[in-house]
Amino acid sequence: MTFALVPVPVLSIEAFAAAAELHPELVRRLVTLGLLEATEDEHGELWFATSQVAAAARIRRLRAGLSLNYPAVGLVTELLDRIAKLESALQMGRNSNGGRR
């Protein structure tokens, strides 16, 4: 679990859908599928961190560019995130030993 040190701006589902250029029902579906992260308030309304707009754009690019269905988009996104973490760890390892292998 992480905690923000400063308030994180959040968007309502309508504002998020407009910013991500998606229909609100599709946004709800993507949350249900676990492709987007949202928090739910006591009234059942969804709220999104502004960083999720980039996640939605990534989903749109994968769907359009590779003609993937949503479960496949989730898998590809997960794999891309793992690759990024491994590359970051590798880079940190290279930096810590002076660039030697």
Side-chain angles (χ1 to χ4, degrees):
M1 180 178 281
T2 59
F3 297 95
L5 298 176
V6 295
V8 177
V10 293
L11 300 169
S12 68
I13 191 165
E14 292 81 12
F16 178 82
E21 299 179 359
L22 297 171
H23 191 278
E25 284 305 314
L26 178 56
V27 172
R28 284 186 183 87
R29 183 173 168 201
L30 295 174
V31 171
T32 301
L33 291 170
L35 297 174
L36 290 175
E37 295 177 15
T39 56
E40 192 173 324
D41 66 14
E42 63 274 2
H43 304 291
E45 297 293 323
L46 294 175
W47 295 91
F48 298 84
T50 55
S51 63
Q52 289 298 290
V53 175
R58 184 185 207 187
I59 292 166
R60 290 180 62 202
R61 283 192 310 273
L62 288 171
R63 281 266 302 161
L66 299 176
S67 300
L68 299 174
N69 62 23
Y70 289 119
V73 167
L75 178 62
V76 170
T77 300
E78 193 175 306
L79 291 172
L80 290 172
D81 290 344
R82 285 184 184 182
I83 290 168
K85 286 179 185 176
L86 290 170
E87 286 177 339
S88 177
L90 181 62
Q91 187 64 35
M92 287 176 53
R94 285 183 181 158
N95 291 340
S96 67
N97 66 13
R100 292 187 213 120
R101 290 187 172 182

